[in-house]
Amino acid sequence: MDNYIKLKEKLLFKKPVSDNAENRYWNSFNQVLEKQHNQSIKAISASNNIKQRIAVASGNTVEIFSTNKNQITQTLSRFKTQVLSLQLRCDSQLLATSHEDGLVNIMNLKTKTSLRQFKNFKKPVHSVSFNNTDQIYAAGDDGTIKLFDIPNDIVIRSIPNAHNDFIRSIAGYEDRQLLSSSYDKFIKLYDLRSSSNDPIRSYLTNHPIESILILPNKLNFISAQDQFTTLWDFRKENLIQELHTNQKTITSLTLTQYHDQTRIITGSLDHQIKFIRTDIFNVTHQLKWKSPVMALDASLDGFNIAIGGNDGQLQINQLKPSKNDEDIEEEEDYIPEYLKSNPHLQRRIKNYKFYNRGIYSKLSDYDYKVPTIQNQKFSGYDKLLVSFKYKEAIVKAFKEKKTSIILSLVEELSERGALEVALKDIDDEELQMILQFILQKMSNPKYSGSMLHVLDILVGILLSSILDIYNIGDIYDQVREELQIQREMTILKGMILI
């Protein structure tokens, strides 16, 4: 029995797996927080503060998550209306929030008090962004952009009718230069130092724009509109490249670090989160989220990623810490409990590494490792096959309705020429069970070949029993229908190839 090859279960619905260094890197992130909120996650801010804090807005509540403590350290719920956007200042001392009633609120996180409340908008404000430590931009659904001075509590600059539709995203470019995007399909670059209300440059897209993002090189920016992610050049009004990355609207964009490279992360209503290289503008990694993604952001160091869904689900993932040399040495010197509890073994060996010294030895050029021969242990279907109990094996598989096992057994027994032997002695009850399974699965192209082969053998050896159970006309009609579908599929495949 040493030469017996165990039955290999057929893998169905196998998805292609791309195993490369970058996929392993993103898959190594651990979930450190998962929380269900009562309302949708509207905004997340994490990428612009040096203390690696994450601010999350849901309803009229804002939560501050500390990546050092891996827990929510502050909950702010004094807001009267729903928070639509927010941003932490670079030192994490101030938090700016905008609301559906048009309020722009500046809050001190140490004292949990409101420092400033700007009530200059009449419609909801969906985007705020710090220009520096003392100034903040805000853009509302009325198409107006404003720059506020926080210490003096004044409006420094205002651009009315900057857009003809709702402004959904803004991003500070240089000192008092602002990039804004709207549902009017325009991206505009404004210089708020100038007295003119006209934009320096305008960029036209084909769809309403949900989000924009300026790349670190300050020469390019990214926009997300409908199902497309687009790369632009500040110096030209035409796009450089456009990716059709999603099946539904992309709602959020952010930047993160992959070693010394930059990656763009996109979140969409089709549950997809995708990572895009900034140099070649290709998708390098993707994952499927539990619900439509409404907001996401990554911490400044790239070690934390926060994702929020429209069902109120919040998840924060953190990169697993890599093992250092001290940890590895401690593991090698580890002594199991069963060795510690035996005084006789403790006298004979000094540590677990010495006891298992052969495991740690490496082969030299002239060494030869003698292969160890172990007796195979059989269980389940292998135990029946090795005992030539073919009938019991195939009946057991049909009873358990394990399609992958059934296909593997049919293939194995056909190669042995034992499929007819396995089926000829089945009783009427087992025959009915097998026929029901065959007729159920026969219409599926993945199983039709094997199922028709089994049906052909059954008709050849047990035709009279089949006629007692089923009307042969019904079986004939179903087989004829399946054959017709197969012919049409073959013709269609040829047309596609042409």
Side-chain angles (χ1 to χ4, degrees):
M1 297 299 176
D2 294 337
N3 297 326
Y4 175 78
I5 301 174
K6 291 185 177 181
L7 181 70
K8 292 184 178 179
E9 183 177 351
K10 247 181 162 23
L11 297 178
L12 302 176
F13 312 109
K14 186 177 180 181
K15 295 181 180 179
V17 177
S18 178
D19 185 20
N20 55 41
E22 182 158 353
N23 284 332
R24 290 193 295 271
Y25 177 84
W26 298 119
N27 290 332
S28 66
F29 276 67
N30 269 338
Q31 178 183 308
V32 294
L33 176 72
E34 186 173 24
K35 185 176 180 181
Q36 180 66 48
H37 295 78
N38 295 328
Q39 298 185 47
S40 171
I41 305 296
K42 286 293 184 182
I44 297 175
S45 174
S47 59
N48 61 321
N49 65 96
I50 57 176
K51 292 190 177 180
Q52 316 298 340
R53 292 181 180 174
I54 301 174
V56 180
S58 175
N60 60 351
T61 302
V62 174
E63 294 174 334
I64 308 297
F65 177 85
S66 171
T67 58
N68 296 324
K69 298 179 181 179
N70 282 343
Q71 63 181 15
I72 294 172
T73 55
Q74 286 182 301
T75 300
L76 311 172
S77 56
R78 297 181 181 177
F79 305 109
K80 295 180 180 179
T81 57
Q82 187 177 17
V83 180
L84 299 179
S85 71
L86 78 171
Q87 190 176 73
L88 286 165
R89 198 170 69 175
C90 59
D91 57 2
S92 298
Q93 299 297 316
L94 297 184
L95 172 71
T97 60
S98 65
H99 301 260
E100 62 181 354
D101 61 353
L103 175 68
V104 177
N105 188 42
I106 310 297
M107 179 166 283
N108 188 323
L109 292 180
K110 278 190 175 180
T111 60
K112 293 186 179 181
T113 56
S114 180
L115 293 180
R116 294 286 184 267
Q117 289 189 342
F118 299 103
K119 301 178 180 179
N120 303 82
F121 290 94
K122 297 179 181 180
K123 292 187 178 181
V125 177
H126 279 86
S127 189
V128 290
S129 177
F130 278 97
N131 179 38
N132 51 43
T133 56
D134 296 330
Q135 297 175 358
I136 187 169
Y137 298 109
D141 282 356
D142 57 0
T144 303
I145 298 173
K146 295 182 183 294
L147 175 61
F148 298 101
D149 185 288
I150 299 172
N152 299 318
D153 193 11
I154 59 171
V155 178
I156 300 175
R157 184 78 166 83
S158 178
I159 303 179
N161 302 317
H163 289 272
N164 297 326
D165 208 332
F166 301 154
I167 300 176
R168 279 294 180 265
S169 182
I170 57 175
Y173 180 44
E174 298 291 349
D175 182 34
R176 293 201 185 183
Q177 288 188 354
L178 182 72
L179 194 67
S180 64
S181 65
S182 168
Y183 280 176
D184 63 3
K185 304 179 184 179
F186 274 98
I187 303 170
K188 296 182 180 181
L189 178 63
Y190 285 98
D191 189 346
L192 277 73
R193 296 168 298 184
S194 170
S195 59
S196 173
N197 290 337
D198 297 328
I200 303 173
R201 287 189 181 275
S202 295
Y203 311 86
L204 178 62
T205 67
N206 296 322
H207 306 279
I209 304 154
E210 294 289 341
S211 183
I212 52 174
L213 185 68
I214 298 175
L215 295 183
N217 61 14
K218 298 293 184 180
L219 298 175
N220 306 99
F221 66 91
I222 306 294
S223 68
Q225 60 278 343
D226 197 40
Q227 306 164 12
F228 300 91
T229 306
T230 309
L231 175 65
W232 301 83
D233 191 326
F234 272 109
R235 298 161 293 184
K236 302 176 181 179
E237 295 186 358
N238 296 327
L239 61 89
I240 299 174
Q241 191 174 349
E242 188 171 61
L243 288 179
H244 189 183
T245 52
N246 296 84
Q247 300 301 316
K248 292 186 179 180
T249 303
I250 300 170
T251 56
S252 49
L253 293 171
T254 190
L255 290 174
T256 189
Q257 293 296 316
Y258 170 64
H259 301 308
D260 58 344
Q261 301 175 16
T262 303
R263 294 289 183 266
I264 303 163
I265 310 179
T266 67
S268 170
L269 295 179
D270 62 1
H271 302 221
Q272 294 289 333
I273 297 172
K274 302 197 177 185
F275 296 74
I276 301 173
R277 281 184 63 167
T278 55
D279 51 355
I280 60 174
F281 208 58
N282 279 342
V283 176
T284 58
H285 180 71
Q286 62 183 5
L287 59 93
K288 190 166 186 179
W289 179 240
K290 305 171 186 178
S291 61
V293 179
M294 295 300 294
L296 62 81
D297 205 354
S299 60
L300 196 61
D301 56 8
F303 295 155
N304 301 273
I305 298 175
I307 308 165
N310 74 337
D311 61 349
Q313 187 78 16
L314 171 68
Q315 183 172 307
I316 297 176
N317 299 327
Q318 194 174 79
L319 183 65
K320 294 179 182 177
S322 58
K323 293 183 178 180
N324 54 36
D325 296 335
E326 294 179 0
D327 296 333
I328 296 171
E329 289 177 4
E330 289 177 2
E331 287 183 5
E332 290 180 349
D333 295 334
Y334 169 72
I335 303 174
E337 293 296 329
Y338 72 90
L339 292 179
K340 292 179 180 179
S341 60
N342 193 327
H344 178 64
L345 286 176
Q346 284 186 22
R347 288 195 300 269
R348 290 181 57 192
I349 61 175
K350 294 182 180 180
N351 54 44
Y352 185 55
K353 184 177 178 180
F354 176 80
Y355 181 71
N356 292 282
R357 57 193 179 279
I359 297 175
Y360 300 97
S361 299
K362 295 182 179 179
L363 292 175
S364 64
D365 295 337
Y366 302 100
D367 288 337
Y368 174 74
K369 185 178 180 181
V370 179
T372 57
I373 301 175
Q374 296 181 350
N375 294 328
Q376 292 194 70
K377 294 181 179 179
F378 304 109
S379 61
Y381 301 96
D382 289 306
K383 196 172 183 179
L384 295 171
L385 289 176
V386 83
S387 304
F388 303 104
K389 296 180 179 179
Y390 301 140
K391 174 195 168 185
E392 289 81 355
I394 200 163
V395 169
K396 180 183 178 184
F398 275 105
K399 279 184 179 178
E400 294 178 355
K401 296 183 178 180
K402 292 184 177 179
T403 309
S404 57
I405 293 291
I406 291 171
L407 295 180
S408 302
L409 276 172
V410 169
E411 187 177 314
E412 176 69 21
L413 293 175
S414 297
E415 289 181 2
R416 296 188 184 193
L419 185 57
E420 186 173 342
V421 176
L423 295 171
K424 71 178 182 179
D425 294 328
I426 58 176
D427 56 32
D428 291 345
E429 184 180 347
E430 293 166 346
L431 176 60
Q432 184 176 3
M433 173 189 65
I434 293 173
L435 286 174
Q436 286 178 350
F437 186 87
I438 290 173
L439 295 176
Q440 181 184 357
K441 298 290 184 181
M442 192 168 56
S443 59
N444 192 323
K446 294 184 177 68
Y447 318 130
S448 57
S450 299
M451 296 298 103
L452 287 172
H453 181 49
V454 175
L455 182 61
D456 182 43
I457 293 175
L458 288 173
V459 170
I461 60 177
L462 298 169
L463 179 59
S464 60
S465 300
I466 294 174
L467 291 175
D468 294 338
I469 298 172
Y470 282 98
N471 182 2
I472 194 67
D474 295 339
I475 299 176
Y476 174 76
D477 291 341
Q478 192 161 349
V479 172
R480 186 176 60 179
E481 183 181 348
E482 175 60 26
L483 289 173
Q484 181 63 27
I485 292 172
Q486 295 289 350
R487 291 191 197 98
E488 292 175 358
M489 290 294 291
T490 304
I491 295 170
L492 181 61
K493 184 178 179 181
M495 293 171 64
I496 292 171
L497 290 174
I498 292 171

